[in-house]
Amino acid sequence: MQKLPGRQRSINLPLRRQQFVGRPKVYPKMALCAARVQLMRSSSSSCGAWTRLLQRWSSSSSIHSFNEKEIREKLQAFPGGSIDLLKQESGIAVLTINNPSRMNAFSGSMMVELEDRVSQLESWTDGKGVIVVGAAGTFCSGSDLNAVRAISNPQCRLPLISVAMVEGKALGGGAELTTACDFRLMAPGGVIQFVHKHMGLVPGWGGAARLVRIVGSQGAIKLLAGARKVDPELGLQIGLVNGVLDGSGGSALQGAEDWLGHYTKGAAPVIQAVKKVVVSGRELPLAEALRAEKEVFGTVWGAPANLQALASKHKHR
């Protein structure tokens, strides 16, 4: 994100249904578990240090025996890159994955930063939307994205409308990350590719399930089993992409903000309520979704935005 912005944690582990209405919680242990599973499988030299550390942890104790502070300290031992967050008066934030030397792959310190940025967005009362972008013309390579499943963890859904702005390549875990967002926009020349098969893997943290919901089972098989490169034209054709932006860099980001702005007009509490009821309807059994919807309705009924609309007779305008 330029200074543009998860755990759709869209990114995306049992579902704790009661948390859809209240403030989502952060579970760094689950992110670390993701790192452990994926990195232990990887033969990449870039993951060697991660693998050795995680092997030591798993041989000496259960991963769940580490408290949050200890996990953060160990992750910070692997520095590099940053997660930059820009919160704007429009209510749209820009979250930037910033590690250009590694094609914006996630490091340990970036994972810690991501948790902190997500917490800031969760408590942003004026927030309406967030755009996830990569620095320097690349979205995310995904080679070290294994533990960033925070953005797609069902236990924490940001009450903001999320957009992945894909400029350059979104590969592997980066492709999964795009599915964790509510919408996907692509700049000319962008590519989304689920390359897991080439590594002898499949998506392991919700990417496949979300992909099926987006493009259907047959479409998901084609993208996963074929490791097919999805350009903007194909993305629109199969329904993976919601729009194609003009230009690149700053102009693409402005285009993404304008696109998202169509859905963020109005009071922030109302936009956040919309996101909550939609997530509840998508993720919960019908009876529980109906209860959650009623609870969310209670938070906006008689609230300032509702009273102002009634006073101005704005309903049918």
Side-chain angles (χ1 to χ4, degrees):
M1 307 175 200
Q2 276 177 357
K3 265 189 134 187
L4 178 154
R7 290 182 181 203
Q8 226 175 20
R9 296 184 207 164
S10 64
I11 339 140
N12 234 44
L13 321 150
L15 182 63
R16 295 181 60 167
R17 295 162 178 147
Q18 71 274 18
Q19 291 179 358
F20 282 105
V21 177
R23 179 184 181 275
K25 296 183 179 179
V26 174
Y27 292 84
K29 293 182 182 179
M30 293 179 180
L32 190 55
C33 286
R36 176 174 173 265
V37 171
Q38 297 288 344
L39 292 174
M40 291 281 283
R41 295 175 177 170
S42 175
S43 60
S44 171
S45 60
S46 66
C47 295
W50 282 91
T51 304
R52 290 192 295 274
L53 176 65
L54 294 171
Q55 285 175 330
R56 289 200 298 271
W57 288 354
S58 60
S59 63
S60 62
S61 176
S62 167
I63 196 76
H64 299 291
S65 67
F66 290 89
N67 59 41
E68 179 176 340
K69 180 179 179 182
E70 189 173 0
I71 291 172
R72 290 172 64 92
E73 289 175 351
K74 291 182 182 296
L75 289 175
Q76 287 172 330
F78 298 88
S82 63
I83 301 294
D84 304 325
L85 175 63
L86 174 65
K87 293 190 288 189
Q88 305 177 111
E89 291 185 4
S90 63
I92 296 176
V94 179
L95 183 71
T96 305
I97 306 167
N98 191 352
N99 193 7
S101 65
R102 298 293 303 279
M103 291 181 66
N104 294 330
F106 273 72
S107 66
S109 61
M110 289 171 69
M111 287 153 49
V112 174
E113 279 192 58
L114 177 63
E115 179 185 349
D116 294 338
R117 300 307 189 201
V118 167
S119 296
Q120 293 174 34
L121 289 171
E122 288 171 345
S123 61
W124 188 24
T125 57
D126 295 326
K128 303 177 185 179
V130 57
I131 301 174
V132 182
V133 302
T138 295
F139 186 73
C140 181
S141 66
S143 62
D144 286 340
L145 189 58
N146 309 292
V148 78
R149 305 310 173 197
I151 198 171
S152 57
N153 184 340
Q155 292 183 314
C156 181
R157 302 291 192 185
L158 282 175
L160 307 178
I161 300 174
S162 56
V163 173
M165 192 195 90
V166 180
E167 185 178 16
K169 295 180 178 180
L171 306 178
E176 284 195 69
L177 179 58
T178 69
T179 69
C181 294
D182 298 313
F183 300 102
R184 286 149 297 283
L185 303 177
M186 294 185 75
V191 172
I192 299 174
Q193 186 179 14
F194 296 84
V195 297
H196 304 72
K197 150 178 133 165
H198 296 320
M199 300 298 294
L201 299 172
V202 296
W205 296 98
R210 292 189 301 271
L211 187 61
V212 169
R213 293 184 178 185
I214 296 169
V215 301
S217 59
Q218 292 183 348
I221 289 174
K222 291 178 180 179
L223 295 182
L224 294 174
R228 191 174 184 183
K229 293 182 179 180
V230 179
D231 60 20
E233 182 179 359
L234 177 59
L236 285 174
Q237 179 183 333
I238 64 177
L240 179 61
V241 175
N242 303 99
V244 178
L245 303 167
D246 294 327
S248 59
S251 62
L253 178 57
Q254 184 60 57
E257 292 186 29
D258 293 342
W259 189 93
L260 180 55
H262 291 296
Y263 308 103
T264 56
K265 295 177 181 178
V270 177
I271 303 302
Q272 293 188 16
V274 168
K275 176 64 181 287
K276 289 176 182 177
V277 296
V278 169
V279 170
S280 296
R282 182 183 66 206
E283 303 289 350
L284 301 180
L286 179 58
E288 295 183 42
L290 292 174
R291 285 196 294 271
E293 185 172 315
K294 183 181 294 185
E295 292 179 31
V296 175
F297 175 81
T299 66
V300 293
W301 173 260
N306 175 229
L307 295 178
Q308 183 178 355
L310 291 173
S312 62
K313 298 181 179 180
H314 193 71
K315 179 179 179 181
H316 298 294
R317 293 183 183 179

